[in-house]
């Protein structure tokens, strides 16, 4: 039995992915000699409804001065964060006297908007290489991990925040109580904590199991977020679905009793109970669906190999690390992965050791089939490649099920 990171209740895992490497550890041949692996199992706590990894690597193994994820590689995400910033500015009536803090500001994709709107802001970003990019955009950044201690320092040295923002970061942090204590201290009386992360309801509905990897220690729902907010005298006051990262949820949290709880929250919690996110059965069905995708995809790739087809992959995502390692996809089945991120290029994918090549070489490689690991950007990518793919080449996708198009 394992203990819940939120409420200490005991629970069992519902899926065991076996040994996994660090999802973003795209490495040289030499670095692969000492590849770190951890046991990746996921469980559901029936008391507080939190879905979580049972074990997670130390944070310094994932977030450091060579971090491979740069937020601004997608044009869609750049415009998403422009709209996100605008919505916060109008919700909180932000101006030059306001103060915005972002947790996990990465290359500045969100805060660059507040800088250009002249709204004072501060980024917290422990991965130094990505933080440097944001500093070069004129953003002030503290290169440390956010927690209660850092929140105390910021409250003292700056001012209380009108808005604390975070995207695709909260679900990475196992020491969640320290974060909520920090938020409670740093937020001013009318302040809001707004964050978004891949949404558990979408993950279960689409069987997007590849959202589960070392960095994603939690898969959130309105049920679990309202539970933890309550534990800290805070309140979930709004939820807004997003299409980013294959289906996300934006949560707005305020000091308890200060803001009206929106009907969206009440409806989403009702829906989550209807689809069984508060019961173990839903998670057992999910595991069965993951294993069906596994069998179907491996069968397809084996058939294509036997037919002499050239299969390459597109997008060296963190998510693909779960797919390749759990399914056993090696260079034998997928020759290489093409990606636009310089730090990932001419390296090998974690665990499966598939070569990652610069995107510039993709079209010359003349593939028959392209396995789309960056399926969450499928609209942007398929549009870009429509002429090249023509009628002779085919995409392979596997969420929600295996499909050749
Ligand atoms: N917000 C960006 C980046 C998400 S990647 C986006 O949505 O695109 C997750 C980021 O969180 C990484 O840059 C990582 O360094 C940072 N991070 C991880 N733990 C953190 C913590 N405790 N405090 C602040 N940032 C953290
Ligand atoms: P993403 O899906 O954002 O992240 P995660 O790592 O969280 O699973 O990663 C997208 C990857 O795909 C990133 O390495 C950049 C790459 N990419 C391309 O190569 N071409 C593209 O057109 C796009 C949109 C992304």
């Amino acid at each position: 039995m394992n203990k819940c990171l939120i409420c200490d209740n005991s629970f069992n895992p519902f899926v065991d992915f076996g040994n996994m490497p660090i999802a973003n550890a795209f490495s040289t041949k030499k670095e692969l000699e000492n590849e770190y692996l951890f046991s990746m199992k996921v469980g559901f706590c029936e008391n507080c409804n939190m879905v979580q990894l049972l074990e997670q690597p130390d944070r310094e193994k994932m977030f450091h001065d060579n971090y491979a994820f740069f937020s601004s590689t997608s044009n869609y995400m750049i415009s998403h964060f422009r709209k996100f910033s605008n919505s916060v500015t109008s919700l909180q009536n932000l101006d030059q006297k306001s103060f915005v803090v972002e947790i996990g500001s990465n290359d500045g994709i969100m805060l660059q908007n507040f800088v250009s709107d002249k709204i004072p802001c501060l980024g917290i970003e422990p991965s130094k290489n990505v933080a440097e990019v944001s500093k070069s955009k004129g953003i002030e950044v503290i290169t440390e991990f956010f927690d209660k201690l850092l929140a105390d320092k910021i409250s003292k040295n700056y001012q209380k925040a009108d808005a604390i923002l975070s995207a695709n970061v909260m679900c990475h942090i196992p020491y969640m109580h320290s974060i909520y204590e920090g938020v409670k201290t740093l937020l001013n009386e009318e302040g809001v904590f707004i964050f978004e992360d891949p949404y558990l309801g979408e993950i279960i509905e689409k069987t997007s199991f590849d959202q589960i990897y070392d960095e994603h220690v939690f898969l959130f729902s309105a049920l679990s977020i309202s539970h933890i907010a309550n534990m800290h005298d805070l309140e979930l006051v709004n939820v807004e679905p997003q299409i980013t990262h294959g289906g996300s949820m934006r949560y707005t949290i305020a000091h308890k009793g200060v803001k009206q709880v929106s009907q969206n929250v009440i409806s989403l919690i009702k829906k989550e109970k209807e689809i069984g996110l508060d019961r173990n059965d839903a998670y057992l069905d999910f595991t069965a669906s993951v294993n069906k995708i596994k069998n179907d995809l491996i069968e397809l790739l084996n058939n294509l190999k036997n037919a002499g087809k050239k299969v390459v992959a597109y997008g060296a995502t963190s998510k693909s690390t779960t797919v390749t390692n759990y399914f056993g996809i090696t260079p034998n089945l997928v020759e290489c992965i093409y990606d636009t991120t310089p730090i990932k290029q001419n390296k090998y994918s974690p665990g499966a050791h598939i070569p990652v090549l610069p995107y510039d070489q993709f079209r010359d490689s003349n593939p028959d089939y392209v396995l789309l690991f960056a399926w969450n950007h499928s609209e942007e990518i398929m549009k870009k490649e429509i002429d090249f793919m023509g009628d002779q080449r085919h995409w392979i996708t596997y969420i929600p099920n295996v499909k050749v198009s």
Side-chain angles (χ1 to χ4, degrees), residues 304-376:
L304 293 176
K305 180 182 151 68
N306 293 337
K309 301 294 182 190
K310 183 179 173 93
V311 183
V312 304
Y314 197 115
T317 55
S318 327
K319 293 185 286 295
S320 68
T321 297
T322 299
V323 180
T324 54
N325 286 278
Y326 184 51
F327 289 9
I329 299 174
T330 57
N332 191 29
L333 293 178
V334 171
E335 226 176 88
C336 59
I337 310 171
Y338 291 97
D339 195 283
T340 51
T341 318
I343 198 172
K344 298 180 183 176
Q345 296 166 351
N346 302 313
K347 301 228 175 112
Y348 293 88
S349 74
H353 305 177
I354 303 172
V356 180
L357 299 178
Y359 167 71
D360 302 351
Q361 299 170 17
F362 168 64
R363 294 184 187 184
D364 287 342
S365 73
N366 200 19
D368 299 308
Y369 288 79
V370 184
L371 177 58
L372 185 58
F373 282 145
W375 59 266
N376 47 316

Side-chain angles (χ1 to χ4, degrees), residues 272-300:
E272 289 179 352
K273 288 186 176 165
E274 277 162 16
I275 61 173
L277 296 187
D278 58 346
R279 294 186 299 277
N280 213 32
D281 298 357
Y283 302 101
L284 297 173
D285 291 348
F286 169 81
T287 306
S289 305
V290 175
N291 288 328
K292 174 161 173 32
I293 296 177
K294 175 178 178 176
N295 294 338
D296 292 351
L297 186 60
I298 292 299
E299 187 183 335
L300 172 67

Side-chain angles (χ1 to χ4, degrees), residues 51-293:
V51 173
Q52 58 201 279
L53 291 186
L54 272 51
E55 200 185 299
Q56 199 200 24
D58 292 342
R59 61 190 191 179
E60 288 78 9
K61 279 198 157 57
M62 298 181 279
F63 310 116
H64 40 63
D65 53 9
N66 215 10
Y67 185 55
F69 179 76
F70 287 72
S71 301
S72 300
T73 49
S74 157
N75 288 330
Y76 183 82
M77 292 309 287
I78 294 172
S79 76
H80 172 78
F81 283 109
R82 173 79 253 185
K83 288 187 210 135
F84 190 161
S85 315
N86 289 348
S87 75
V88 179
T89 301
S90 77
L91 180 74
Q92 293 296 86
N93 291 317
L94 300 179
D95 60 24
Q96 295 176 5
K97 292 202 199 87
S98 310
F99 185 46
V100 175
V101 175
E102 189 189 3
I103 306 173
S105 47
N106 198 276
D107 61 11
I109 192 167
M110 171 113 78
L111 291 185
Q112 62 195 7
N113 302 309
F114 292 104
V115 167
S116 67
D117 295 348
K118 303 208 165 20
I119 294 166
C121 61
L122 174 69
I124 315 298
E125 178 46 68
S127 297
K128 289 211 172 66
N129 60 332
V130 293
E132 283 308 316
V133 177
S134 62
K135 285 183 188 167
S136 73
K137 295 176 179 170
I139 299 167
E140 184 177 354
V141 184
I142 298 181
T143 45
E144 285 179 40
F145 288 93
F146 182 84
D147 59 9
K148 165 82 167 76
L149 269 181
L150 186 62
D152 287 342
K153 273 195 232 159
I154 299 171
S155 304
K156 238 183 258 150
N157 298 342
Y158 295 79
Q159 65 186 72
K160 299 249 181 193
D162 300 276
I164 302 177
L165 309 178
S166 197
N168 309 301
V169 179
M170 284 304 115
C171 71
H172 295 55
I173 304 181
Y175 40 101
M176 197 45 50
H177 289 300
S178 178
I179 299 294
Y180 276 76
E181 284 164 18
V183 164
K184 183 79 194 164
T185 319
L186 185 54
L187 218 48
N188 69 22
E189 192 46 34
E190 293 284 323
V192 285
F193 170 36
I194 309 182
F195 67 95
E196 58 187 41
D197 278 293
Y199 175 54
L200 176 66
E202 290 272 357
I203 293 169
I204 296 294
E205 209 167 298
K206 291 192 177 132
T207 319
S208 44
F209 66 97
D210 55 353
Q211 284 293 358
I212 302 171
Y213 51 89
D214 57 350
E215 294 179 20
H216 290 177
V217 64
F218 294 119
L219 303 179
F220 297 137
S221 59
L223 281 162
S224 59
I225 291 301
S226 61
H227 188 107
I228 185 160
N230 263 316
M231 289 172 93
H232 293 274
D233 204 27
L234 292 160
E235 191 167 36
L236 176 63
V237 295
N238 200 11
V239 285
E240 297 158 276
Q242 308 293 319
I243 62 162
T244 50
H245 288 286
S248 296
M249 191 60 69
R250 184 177 297 167
Y251 304 91
T252 302
I253 286 177
H255 291 292
K256 199 175 240 161
V258 173
K259 307 241 173 205
Q260 172 103 35
V261 176
S262 114
Q263 184 57 38
N264 294 352
V265 174
I266 295 154
S267 310
L268 187 63
I269 289 186
K270 183 164 174 269
K271 185 177 166 210
E272 289 179 352
K273 288 186 176 165
E274 277 162 16
I275 61 173
L277 296 187
D278 58 346
R279 294 186 299 277
N280 213 32
D281 298 357
Y283 302 101
L284 297 173
D285 291 348
F286 169 81
T287 306
S289 305
V290 175
N291 288 328
K292 174 161 173 32
I293 296 177

